[in-house]
Amino acid sequence: MEEVLTLEEAAKYLKIAKPTLYRLLDEGKIPAFEVGSQWRFSRDLIDRWLWDQVPRKKTVMVVDDEMLICMDLRKIIISEGHDAVTTQSGLEALEIAEENHFDLVFLDLVLPDIDGLEVLKELKKKNDAQKVVIVTGYPDSELMNAALELGPISAIKKPFNRKQIVDVLKYLTALQNVGKNE
């Protein structure tokens, strides 16, 4: 049988003050229903809501022919609490993407086997919503212009700094939280 909590019981269960619970209700952020003029809460729904509030680790792929760039990006991504997979080959990136889901891909456009534009096209064919950030030393190239038409979420010029990468990771998390709450 589903356990239904009063406002006071829910505040105690969540270990928050009643005004905080009222604010969450006003903002539509917590599941609840009204019985008469009183708020009620399903313990199961509250538990699911709490689970959804836990920040989720993202899985990020780095595709760059320069090993040092791969290592730098991997170190930043991991230090921000996410998983990172790196490759220096466009073809290998496509193989890895066939087997795995990535929340984000950092993609160089100049690769030794196929160019990053082809990798981007294939990633978008597989998943049109794939989030990609172009990382390039050639921001004014024709290749870059063609890549921008395919809709990466951002482009970062090499050399990049840590803050740029962290900002992209935070933006990704914010994007996913917005989608989750709609």
Side-chain angles (χ1 to χ4, degrees):
M1 175 119 188
E2 182 178 25
E3 184 177 356
V4 177
L5 306 174
T6 65
L7 186 107
E8 290 78 15
E9 292 168 334
K12 186 176 179 181
Y13 180 66
L14 291 166
K15 297 180 182 160
I16 60 175
K18 286 195 300 187
T20 302
L21 188 52
Y22 276 118
R23 184 180 49 79
L24 291 170
L25 285 164
D26 286 342
E27 294 172 358
K29 292 187 176 177
I30 190 165
F33 56 94
E34 283 187 276
V35 175
S37 61
Q38 302 292 314
W39 286 106
R40 297 291 184 257
F41 304 82
S42 159
R43 188 183 295 252
D44 288 343
L45 289 178
I46 286 178
D47 288 343
R48 280 189 235 150
W49 174 78
L50 283 170
W51 180 251
D52 287 344
Q53 304 312 302
V54 175
R56 298 287 191 263
K57 186 183 278 194
K58 307 295 181 239
T59 304
V60 181
M61 179 166 57
V62 177
V63 185
D64 198 298
D65 61 324
E66 297 177 54
M67 186 182 342
L68 288 176
I69 298 288
C70 285
M71 289 171 44
D72 284 348
L73 283 170
R74 185 176 194 285
K75 189 166 107 178
I76 294 167
I77 293 162
I78 289 172
S79 75
E80 290 298 309
H82 306 295
D83 290 329
V85 173
T86 63
T87 180
Q88 295 173 266
S89 158
L91 292 173
E92 184 178 27
L94 294 175
E95 288 175 24
I96 293 169
E98 278 300 314
E99 305 282 321
N100 302 280
H101 164 78
F102 292 97
D103 297 295
L104 179 66
V105 176
F106 284 101
L107 177 63
D108 186 12
L109 291 178
V110 179
L111 298 168
D113 46 6
I114 61 173
D115 66 49
L117 180 61
E118 290 305 311
V119 174
L120 180 57
K121 286 178 185 175
E122 291 301 315
L123 289 173
K124 290 289 191 170
K125 271 188 207 174
K126 179 181 181 251
N127 175 7
D128 189 50
Q130 177 66 66
K131 292 175 181 46
V132 177
V133 174
I134 303 297
V135 181
T136 184
Y138 306 97
D140 299 321
S141 68
E142 289 296 319
L143 197 57
M144 180 63 170
N145 291 336
L148 289 174
E149 291 178 16
L150 295 173
I153 63 170
S154 185
I156 296 174
K157 182 181 176 203
K158 292 179 188 175
F160 54 84
N161 63 49
R162 176 183 172 78
K163 182 180 181 327
Q164 290 172 294
I165 305 307
V166 170
D167 285 349
V168 168
L169 294 169
K170 287 180 181 175
Y171 175 72
L172 173 68
T173 301
L175 269 181
Q176 291 179 334
N177 287 340
V178 166
K180 179 175 67 179
N181 292 329
E182 290 179 345

